Amino acid sequence: NVFEEILGELNELTGLHKVKDEIKGITNYLNLEKRRAEIGGKKTQLNLHFVFTGNPGTGKTTVGRILANVFKSLGLLAKGHLVEADSSKLVAAYTGQTAIKTNELIDSAMGGVLLVDEAYTLSSGSNASSFGKEAIDTLLKRMEDDRGKFLVIAAGYSNEMREFINTNPGLQSRFTKYIHFDDYNAEEMKTIFLSMMKKKGM
Protein backbone atom coordinates (compact mmCIF):
# COMPACT_ATOMS: atom_id res chain seq x y z
CA ASN A 1 0.00 0.00 0.00
CA VAL A 2 0.91 3.69 -0.19
CA PHE A 3 1.98 3.82 3.46
CA GLU A 4 4.47 0.97 2.97
CA GLU A 5 5.76 2.52 -0.26
CA ILE A 6 6.54 5.78 1.52
CA LEU A 7 8.36 3.99 4.34
CA GLY A 8 10.26 2.11 1.64
CA GLU A 9 11.35 5.47 0.21
CA LEU A 10 12.63 6.41 3.66
CA ASN A 11 14.56 3.14 3.97
CA GLU A 12 16.25 3.74 0.62
CA LEU A 13 17.91 6.92 1.88
CA THR A 14 21.63 6.52 2.62
CA GLY A 15 22.56 6.56 6.32
CA LEU A 16 20.28 8.54 8.69
CA HIS A 17 19.76 5.49 10.89
CA LYS A 18 18.61 7.43 13.98
CA VAL A 19 16.31 9.59 11.86
CA LYS A 20 14.76 6.53 10.23
CA ASP A 21 14.12 4.94 13.63
CA GLU A 22 12.47 8.14 14.91
CA ILE A 23 10.23 8.50 11.82
CA LYS A 24 9.26 4.83 11.88
CA GLY A 25 8.36 5.10 15.58
CA ILE A 26 6.17 8.13 14.91
CA THR A 27 4.49 6.64 11.85
CA ASN A 28 3.81 3.31 13.56
CA TYR A 29 2.14 5.16 16.45
CA LEU A 30 0.04 7.27 14.06
CA ASN A 31 -0.92 4.20 12.01
CA LEU A 32 -2.04 2.47 15.20
CA GLU A 33 -4.09 5.54 16.19
CA LYS A 34 -5.70 5.55 12.74
CA ARG A 35 -6.71 1.90 13.03
CA ARG A 36 -8.02 2.48 16.54
CA ALA A 37 -10.20 5.33 15.26
CA GLU A 38 -11.47 3.15 12.41
CA ILE A 39 -12.89 0.63 14.87
CA GLY A 40 -14.70 3.26 16.90
CA GLY A 41 -12.03 4.77 19.14
CA LYS A 42 -11.76 8.49 19.71
CA LYS A 43 -9.79 10.15 16.91
CA THR A 44 -6.51 11.73 17.97
CA GLN A 45 -6.12 15.29 16.71
CA LEU A 46 -2.86 15.95 14.90
CA ASN A 47 -0.77 18.30 17.01
CA LEU A 48 2.80 17.35 16.12
CA HIS A 49 5.34 19.97 15.14
CA PHE A 50 9.01 19.17 14.64
CA VAL A 51 12.46 20.62 15.14
CA PHE A 52 15.01 19.16 12.71
CA THR A 53 18.57 19.90 13.83
CA GLY A 54 21.77 19.34 11.90
CA ASN A 55 24.08 20.79 9.28
CA PRO A 56 22.96 21.78 5.76
CA GLY A 57 22.87 18.89 3.30
CA THR A 58 22.06 16.17 5.83
CA GLY A 59 18.63 15.30 4.39
CA LYS A 60 16.26 17.46 6.46
CA THR A 61 14.19 18.68 3.50
CA THR A 62 14.06 15.22 1.91
CA VAL A 63 12.83 13.64 5.15
CA GLY A 64 10.37 16.52 5.61
CA ARG A 65 8.85 15.71 2.21
CA ILE A 66 8.60 12.01 3.10
CA LEU A 67 7.01 12.90 6.44
CA ALA A 68 4.42 15.04 4.63
CA ASN A 69 3.55 12.05 2.41
CA VAL A 70 3.27 9.78 5.46
CA PHE A 71 0.78 12.13 7.12
CA LYS A 72 -1.24 12.37 3.91
CA SER A 73 -1.31 8.58 3.45
CA LEU A 74 -2.69 8.23 6.98
CA GLY A 75 -5.43 10.80 6.27
CA LEU A 76 -3.96 13.28 8.77
CA LEU A 77 -3.13 15.94 6.19
CA ALA A 78 -5.41 16.84 3.28
CA LYS A 79 -2.72 17.54 0.66
CA GLY A 80 0.63 16.40 2.05
CA HIS A 81 2.72 18.93 0.13
CA LEU A 82 5.85 20.62 1.49
CA VAL A 83 6.33 24.38 1.45
CA GLU A 84 9.93 25.47 2.05
CA ALA A 85 10.72 28.91 3.43
CA ASP A 86 13.39 30.91 5.21
CA SER A 87 12.92 34.01 7.34
CA SER A 88 12.82 36.28 4.27
CA LYS A 89 9.56 34.58 3.21
CA LEU A 90 7.95 35.44 6.55
CA VAL A 91 9.38 38.85 7.41
CA ALA A 92 8.49 42.05 5.55
CA ALA A 93 10.39 45.32 5.46
CA TYR A 94 7.57 47.52 6.73
CA THR A 95 5.51 47.67 9.91
CA GLY A 96 2.26 45.71 9.71
CA GLN A 97 3.26 43.74 6.61
CA THR A 98 5.00 40.78 8.31
CA ALA A 99 1.77 39.27 9.70
CA ILE A 100 0.20 39.47 6.23
CA LYS A 101 3.24 37.87 4.59
CA THR A 102 3.47 35.11 7.22
CA ASN A 103 -0.25 34.35 7.02
CA GLU A 104 -0.10 34.10 3.22
CA LEU A 105 2.79 31.64 3.47
CA ILE A 106 0.91 29.54 6.06
CA ASP A 107 -2.19 29.60 3.84
CA SER A 108 -0.09 28.10 1.02
CA ALA A 109 1.03 25.29 3.39
CA MET A 110 -2.48 24.51 4.65
CA GLY A 111 -3.16 20.77 4.41
CA GLY A 112 0.56 20.11 4.23
CA VAL A 113 3.88 20.89 5.86
CA LEU A 114 5.65 24.23 6.30
CA LEU A 115 9.40 23.79 6.64
CA VAL A 116 11.10 26.92 7.98
CA ASP A 117 14.84 26.66 7.31
CA GLU A 118 17.26 28.47 9.62
CA ALA A 119 14.26 29.41 11.76
CA TYR A 120 16.51 30.90 14.45
CA THR A 121 17.21 33.88 12.18
CA LEU A 122 13.72 35.12 13.11
CA SER A 123 15.05 36.03 16.54
CA SER A 124 18.65 36.94 15.69
CA GLY A 125 20.67 39.16 13.38
CA SER A 126 18.75 41.66 11.25
CA ASN A 127 15.42 40.09 12.27
CA ALA A 128 16.02 40.48 16.01
CA SER A 129 13.44 43.25 15.93
CA SER A 130 9.70 43.57 16.19
CA PHE A 131 9.43 42.12 12.65
CA GLY A 132 10.94 38.76 13.59
CA LYS A 133 8.84 38.64 16.76
CA GLU A 134 5.73 39.46 14.73
CA ALA A 135 6.44 36.54 12.38
CA ILE A 136 6.91 34.15 15.33
CA ASP A 137 3.74 35.38 17.06
CA THR A 138 1.74 35.02 13.85
CA LEU A 139 3.07 31.50 13.28
CA LEU A 140 2.28 30.45 16.87
CA LYS A 141 -1.25 31.83 16.62
CA ARG A 142 -1.95 29.94 13.41
CA MET A 143 -0.49 26.73 14.85
CA GLU A 144 -3.11 27.05 17.60
CA ASP A 145 -6.04 28.36 15.52
CA ASP A 146 -5.49 25.84 12.71
CA ARG A 147 -4.43 22.95 14.90
CA GLY A 148 -4.39 19.69 12.96
CA LYS A 149 -4.69 21.41 9.57
CA PHE A 150 -0.99 21.81 8.87
CA LEU A 151 2.34 20.78 10.33
CA VAL A 152 5.46 22.89 10.94
CA ILE A 153 9.08 21.79 10.79
CA ALA A 154 11.62 24.31 12.10
CA ALA A 155 15.08 23.38 10.83
CA GLY A 156 18.65 24.54 11.32
CA TYR A 157 21.94 24.17 13.17
CA SER A 158 21.62 22.31 16.49
CA ASN A 159 22.81 24.92 19.02
CA GLU A 160 21.09 27.84 17.30
CA MET A 161 17.79 25.95 17.04
CA ARG A 162 17.78 25.03 20.73
CA GLU A 163 18.53 28.64 21.69
CA PHE A 164 15.74 29.80 19.37
CA ILE A 165 13.12 27.44 20.84
CA ASN A 166 14.18 28.41 24.38
CA THR A 167 13.57 32.12 23.71
CA ASN A 168 9.80 31.67 23.71
CA PRO A 169 7.56 29.46 25.91
CA GLY A 170 5.07 29.28 23.02
CA LEU A 171 7.70 27.69 20.79
CA GLN A 172 8.62 25.23 23.54
CA SER A 173 5.02 24.09 23.98
CA ARG A 174 4.25 23.68 20.29
CA PHE A 175 7.48 22.16 18.97
CA THR A 176 7.50 18.92 20.90
CA LYS A 177 9.42 16.52 18.65
CA TYR A 178 13.16 16.91 18.03
CA ILE A 179 15.01 14.90 15.40
CA HIS A 180 18.77 15.29 14.90
CA PHE A 181 20.44 14.65 11.54
CA ASP A 182 24.04 13.45 11.85
CA ASP A 183 26.65 14.35 9.23
CA TYR A 184 27.29 11.64 6.62
CA ASN A 185 30.48 9.64 7.09
CA ALA A 186 32.95 8.99 4.25
CA GLU A 187 31.42 5.65 3.23
CA GLU A 188 27.91 7.16 3.12
CA MET A 189 29.18 10.07 1.02
CA LYS A 190 30.70 7.58 -1.40
CA THR A 191 27.40 5.68 -1.63
CA ILE A 192 25.51 8.92 -2.33
CA PHE A 193 28.04 9.90 -5.00
CA LEU A 194 27.76 6.53 -6.76
CA SER A 195 23.97 6.72 -6.62
CA MET A 196 24.04 10.17 -8.23
CA MET A 197 26.31 8.90 -10.99
CA LYS A 198 24.03 5.94 -11.63
CA LYS A 199 20.93 8.17 -11.89
CA LYS A 200 22.77 10.36 -14.42
CA GLY A 201 23.74 7.26 -16.45
CA MET A 202 27.44 7.94 -15.96
Side-chain angles (χ1 to χ4, degrees), residues 45-98:
Q45 188 179 35
L46 174 66
N47 193 29
L48 271 176
H49 299 287
F50 296 80
V51 175
F52 283 4
T53 60
N55 289 324
T58 48
K60 295 189 291 293
T61 301
T62 301
V63 171
R65 193 168 283 114
I66 290 172
L67 197 60
N69 287 330
V70 165
F71 278 82
K72 184 188 177 185
S73 74
L74 292 172
L76 296 169
L77 287 174
K79 295 180 181 178
H81 62 302
L82 183 80
V83 174
E84 289 182 70
D86 57 21
S87 60
S88 68
K89 298 273 181 71
L90 291 103
V91 176
Y94 305 101
T95 303
Q97 295 298 307
T98 291

Side-chain angles (χ1 to χ4, degrees), residues 163-189:
E163 287 173 9
F164 167 65
I165 296 297
N166 288 335
T167 60
N168 187 316
L171 292 170
Q172 291 174 38
S173 65
R174 286 172 180 80
F175 288 98
T176 54
K177 196 69 187 168
Y178 289 69
I179 299 179
H180 181 68
F181 288 68
D182 290 322
D183 290 343
Y184 294 110
N185 61 35
E187 194 61 36
E188 289 166 347
M189 292 290 284

Side-chain angles (χ1 to χ4, degrees), residues 80-192:
H81 62 302
L82 183 80
V83 174
E84 289 182 70
D86 57 21
S87 60
S88 68
K89 298 273 181 71
L90 291 103
V91 176
Y94 305 101
T95 303
Q97 295 298 307
T98 291
I100 295 169
K101 196 173 181 180
T102 301
N103 275 315
E104 286 176 349
L105 183 68
I106 293 167
D107 288 341
S108 73
M110 202 55 56
V113 174
L114 174 64
L115 189 149
V116 183
D117 197 23
E118 296 185 342
Y120 48 82
T121 58
L122 289 169
S123 61
S124 63
S126 60
N127 290 319
S129 62
S130 58
F131 296 151
K133 184 179 183 302
E134 187 181 357
I136 293 168
D137 290 344
T138 304
L139 179 62
L140 290 175
K141 186 175 187 304
R142 289 294 298 272
M143 287 166 79
E144 184 60 35
D145 293 349
D146 293 303
R147 186 185 293 196
K149 295 178 184 176
F150 76 116
L151 188 150
V152 182
I153 299 172
Y157 292 110
S158 302
N159 292 338
E160 286 87 341
M161 283 307 301
R162 293 189 186 281
E163 287 173 9
F164 167 65
I165 296 297
N166 288 335
T167 60
N168 187 316
L171 292 170
Q172 291 174 38
S173 65
R174 286 172 180 80
F175 288 98
T176 54
K177 196 69 187 168
Y178 289 69
I179 299 179
H180 181 68
F181 288 68
D182 290 322
D183 290 343
Y184 294 110
N185 61 35
E187 194 61 36
E188 289 166 347
M189 292 290 284
K190 177 184 168 186
T191 301
I192 291 168

